[in-house]
Amino acid sequence: MRDIERLLAEECSGVRAEEWIDKTDPADDSPVVRIPVASAEAISGAVRTARAASRDWARTAPADRAAAVDRAADGLSAYQEELAWLTKREMGRPLDEARAGVAAGIATLRQYAQLGPAHRGRSLAGAWSATDLMVPEPRGVAAVITPWNDPVAVSCGLIGAALVTGNTVVYKPSERTPATGWLLHQLIAEELPEGVLTLVNGGAEVGDRLVREPLDVIAHVGSTATGLGIRRATTTKVVRENGGNDPLLVDEDVDPAWAAEQAAIGAFANSGQICVAVERIYVHERIAASFLAELVKRAEALDLAPLVDRRLRDEVHSQVAEAIAAGAAVQCGGEIPAGPGAFYPATVLAGCTEQMRLMREETFGPVAPVSVVSSFSEGLTRAADGAYGLAATVLTGSLRHAQEAWRELPVGTVKVNSVFGGAPAGAAHPRGASGDGYGYGPELLDEFTATKVVHWEAPPVPQPAPQAG
């Protein structure tokens, strides 16, 4: 695994750059990689390269584009351990979970390799003498800007969908996982014609410069602040899956131990660094005491991986400290541990109110804020209130309550009696501050294409010229 890090270090050693990304391991602060930040000229050059390759790639047969993406999935399979190792080193994810993220990315590439050639328009019912069609066409040059919390899976989804629909891609991975992004780019690009997939590395400044380039579509998964900044900076089409503040609603008729297990999975998986993590919990007063005791027991038994870096840990802890100052009661956790790394314990807070920032904003850490409600109706009303609209979960044995919840919660995904899971190819449509456009599934192919209506009639049959005399 370390050979990849050494190879990347050797590649970067001769590069002259004004700025560098120095990435350290969040578990022990040891150095991982030093990568140059793309200059303004390098960003423009990547877009020009993608533009030059765009015409030929758009004219490549969909089956041939899909075959290239499928071969790229083979390449990722061959380097699955290296990708997982880099993910672990850069953002702290346990190796088995990192492997699962890579496997999900490989499966997503294969899914889009299958869906790409099947993506089609439709014919229209026009006049008998005419042909009327709605034809999807590649948009052109796509910027794909991805996050660090699941760097392979998310990148593969957006890159795969863009490529199979005939777009060229300028890829900017997160500055928090640059080595993972570099290897992913290498493995996919080697199966593609020159210029079809280019890479730029850097942080917010690079992203800001990239989205101001002449692009045809921008796909961004990341924070709401960044996503809204992109939307304000450009008139180009933007597809966003951004932050969430997902509620978990616990009804009075469920087993509190099972509900606490679901809450712990939702709040603490990947150390809380999941877009659809449980961020606020509303539990019925009838089972609140038992639920809270079970949740604390599970939280205290966890040995969590570190957060991606100390900057995020400081932000998570500031939200926790503010809530405690405003009256929240710490049930467990809530303190920064001594020692190296960016570790933060699984934290359970009781007595949380809507005035607290961690109940209104995305926390992105292992924090479970709990609020007790007197009825399912009260819990549903409070769960439905907020600026975000990514996902929500309801735990209930009542079919009527489940029906009310999925109908009334203003989010893209509603999960009943399971915080995670779902059939493949689901296309979530986030709302509010959580984004614009479809994410994943066949519908993502529509986001990367523009529809052209074609009306075609035969010209009139020439009439013979009249004979003289």
Side-chain angles (χ1 to χ4, degrees):
M1 309 316 155
R2 292 171 179 79
D3 288 344
I4 293 293
E5 292 180 29
R6 185 164 57 248
L7 177 64
L8 180 52
E10 290 172 357
E11 181 170 306
C12 295
S13 63
V15 175
R16 292 185 178 181
E18 294 182 3
E19 297 180 68
W20 292 80
I21 299 169
D22 291 295
K23 188 69 189 80
T24 59
D25 189 323
D28 59 13
D29 300 323
S30 63
V32 177
V33 69
R34 192 166 196 251
I35 285 185
V37 173
S39 65
E41 178 52 37
I43 296 166
S44 297
V47 174
R48 288 194 299 269
T49 297
R51 182 69 64 192
S54 179
R55 185 173 182 271
D56 286 345
W57 184 242
R59 292 186 172 197
T60 300
D64 292 337
R65 297 196 298 250
V69 171
D70 198 53
R71 291 194 302 272
D74 292 338
L76 267 64
S77 295
Y79 281 83
Q80 188 164 352
E81 277 299 299
E82 287 82 356
L83 285 164
W85 174 258
L86 286 176
T87 300
K88 176 185 183 299
R89 288 273 285 150
E90 290 194 296
M91 59 82 57
R93 197 170 191 180
L95 195 55
D96 284 345
E97 293 181 21
R99 289 185 182 116
V102 176
I106 293 167
T108 302
L109 283 181
R110 296 203 192 283
Q111 178 188 74
Y112 283 119
Q114 294 174 345
L115 290 173
H119 187 242
R120 60 187 183 273
R122 60 188 176 93
S123 61
L124 303 173
W128 184 89
S129 60
T131 298
D132 291 270
L133 305 171
M134 291 178 64
V135 183
E137 295 183 320
R139 288 188 175 272
V141 177
V144 169
I145 303 171
T146 60
W148 50 265
N149 61 314
D150 200 356
V152 176
V154 174
S155 296
C156 285
L158 296 177
I159 292 172
L163 291 176
V164 298
T165 47
N167 300 279
T168 55
V169 175
V170 181
Y171 171 44
K172 194 202 89 64
S174 170
E175 70 276 18
R176 283 165 156 162
T177 51
T180 305
W182 171 83
L183 181 56
L184 180 65
H185 165 263
Q186 294 286 104
L187 294 171
I188 298 176
E190 68 182 17
E191 301 298 340
L192 303 169
E194 186 72 26
V196 171
L197 177 64
T198 56
L199 175 74
V200 293
N201 270 309
E205 298 82 3
V206 169
D208 185 63
R209 288 170 179 163
L210 176 59
V211 301
R212 296 173 190 276
E213 291 287 329
L215 302 163
D216 300 298
V217 59
I218 300 166
H220 171 256
V221 176
S223 74
T224 293
T226 300
L228 291 175
I230 291 171
R231 194 173 69 179
R232 288 191 294 266
T234 181
T235 58
T236 301
K237 176 182 173 62
V238 179
V239 183
R240 299 183 299 126
E241 185 192 288
N242 293 161
N245 182 229
D246 294 1
L248 170 65
L249 179 55
V250 183
D251 207 352
E252 64 179 316
D253 61 350
V254 300
D255 175 20
W258 167 76
E261 180 183 25
Q262 288 289 307
I265 294 170
F268 305 136
N270 199 24
S271 299
Q273 300 169 121
I274 300 176
C275 296
V276 291
V278 169
E279 299 260 347
R280 48 195 172 115
I281 300 170
Y282 302 98
V283 58
H284 195 285
E285 62 184 8
R286 182 171 172 269
I287 64 167
S290 298
F291 169 84
L292 197 58
E294 292 286 346
L295 180 57
V296 170
K297 183 168 68 176
R298 283 163 172 76
E300 290 179 333
L302 292 173
D303 182 18
L304 296 181
L307 301 185
V308 67
D309 55 30
R310 295 189 184 195
R311 175 161 57 98
L312 177 62
R313 184 178 68 176
D314 289 345
E315 170 58 23
V316 170
H317 186 63
S318 73
Q319 290 194 25
V320 171
E322 286 177 21
I324 295 169
V330 180
Q331 306 299 298
C332 63
E335 295 183 355
I336 294 177
F343 292 92
Y344 199 77
T347 298
V348 178
L349 302 177
C352 296
T353 67
E354 307 306 321
Q355 288 69 43
M356 297 173 183
R357 190 156 61 99
L358 85 173
M359 293 287 280
R360 301 192 319 272
E361 299 180 8
E362 185 173 49
T363 305
F364 227 62
V367 181
V370 180
S371 183
V372 177
V373 294
S374 60
S375 65
F376 183 84
S377 177
E378 179 194 348
L380 182 57
T381 298
R382 292 175 64 181
D385 184 29
Y388 296 89
L390 195 56
T393 305
V394 57
L395 306 180
T396 182
S398 166
L399 180 60
R400 180 173 62 85
H401 284 173
Q403 180 79 0
E404 288 176 2
W406 81 257
R407 288 288 190 187
E408 295 184 21
L409 288 166
V411 297
T413 302
V414 177
K415 296 161 284 184
V416 180
N417 294 330
S418 179
V419 291
F420 294 135
H429 198 173
R431 305 180 188 184
S434 292
D436 298 304
Y438 284 103
Y440 310 107
E443 287 79 3
L444 182 56
L445 301 178
D446 296 334
E447 302 285 4
F448 281 109
T449 53
T451 299
K452 180 178 288 182
V453 173
V454 179
H455 174 74
W456 176 14
E457 291 189 33
V461 176
Q463 298 298 315
Q467 296 294 322

